[in-house]
Amino acid sequence: MSARGELFTTQISLDNRSYFFNVKENRTGDVFLQIVESKSRDGEDFDRHQIAIFADDLQKFLQGMDKTLSFVEKERKARAKAVREKKAAKDAKYGRGDAKKVYYVKDGTRTEEKRDDGIKRTGRVIHIVSKRTDNGKTESTAVIEKKESIGTEKKSDTEKF
């Protein structure tokens, strides 16, 4: 028997926690499993929590752990299935993401298909013209062209600021 009655020890380290699984023997000769969680607290001190399961109760403990793991795995699979079904329903309703879509203007006319180049198109073209005046100040003029609908002429507004 080694120091403090330890027969076997294994450790699992995570980000800021460590788990120790120690098989120990007490003074009366009873063997038990000690599970210790050691958690770093602000890099200075550690929170330490432990539970002990005696050998007589270890089988019941493992059965409970097995049921818990089965539930977690079943729940994980159910969530993954729900996500797949939701995505399939969305694809069925709106079409596949790689299929071309048709966009409509308010009056119901058909517009060009959306270009996938990352540019937001609002139907407005803005030109800003800046020039220096004789007294050194900058004068800017903004010309905003709006498309009323497809096939009609552009309307221009000019603003000075």
Side-chain angles (χ1 to χ4, degrees):
M1 185 163 58
S2 65
R4 297 192 309 184
E6 291 182 3
L7 301 174
F8 176 78
T9 300
T10 187
Q11 175 184 358
I12 297 174
S13 296
L14 302 174
D15 292 335
N16 65 341
R17 299 171 191 246
S18 293
Y19 295 96
F20 299 91
F21 298 93
N22 305 320
V23 178
K24 292 187 170 187
E25 183 178 10
N26 64 12
R27 292 182 188 155
T28 61
D30 296 330
V31 177
F32 62 96
L33 170 66
Q34 179 187 44
I35 302 173
V36 179
E37 175 192 36
S38 181
K39 180 171 54 169
S40 174
R41 185 175 56 186
D42 300 331
E44 299 173 4
D45 200 10
F46 287 93
D47 281 338
R48 184 178 159 108
H49 303 281
Q50 64 185 10
I51 61 171
I53 300 113
F54 284 92
D56 299 342
D57 302 327
L58 200 55
Q59 289 301 320
K60 290 180 183 178
F61 176 80
L62 291 177
Q63 287 174 353
M65 182 69 85
D66 190 38
K67 286 180 183 179
T68 304
L69 292 175
S70 297
F71 173 78
V72 169
E73 184 65 20
K74 182 180 173 184
E75 185 70 19
R76 185 190 64 79
K77 287 180 181 179
R79 286 179 189 228
K81 183 180 177 183
V83 167
R84 282 193 309 270
E85 289 173 353
K86 184 176 179 181
K87 185 175 187 237
K90 182 179 175 184
D91 286 345
K93 184 175 181 180
Y94 298 110
R96 298 268 322 174
D98 56 345
K100 294 186 178 185
K101 298 178 182 179
V102 177
Y103 296 89
Y104 293 92
V105 181
K106 285 183 181 178
D107 63 358
T109 60
R110 197 174 167 152
T111 65
E112 64 185 42
E113 294 177 350
K114 182 178 179 182
R115 296 182 202 139
D116 193 20
D117 56 2
I119 299 173
K120 181 178 179 182
R121 290 177 173 74
T122 61
R124 304 172 83 190
V125 180
I126 301 174
H127 302 280
I128 298 178
V129 179
S130 298
K131 63 179 180 179
R132 290 201 180 265
T133 59
D134 292 335
N135 57 4
K137 293 184 179 179
T138 304
E139 183 179 293
S140 298
T141 306
V143 178
I144 302 172
E145 298 176 0
K146 299 177 184 176
K147 293 181 184 177
E148 294 299 322
S149 65
I150 303 300
T152 62
E153 294 183 17
K154 295 178 184 176
K155 179 182 171 185
S156 294
D157 294 331
T158 304
E159 298 176 13
K160 279 191 174 184
F161 55 95

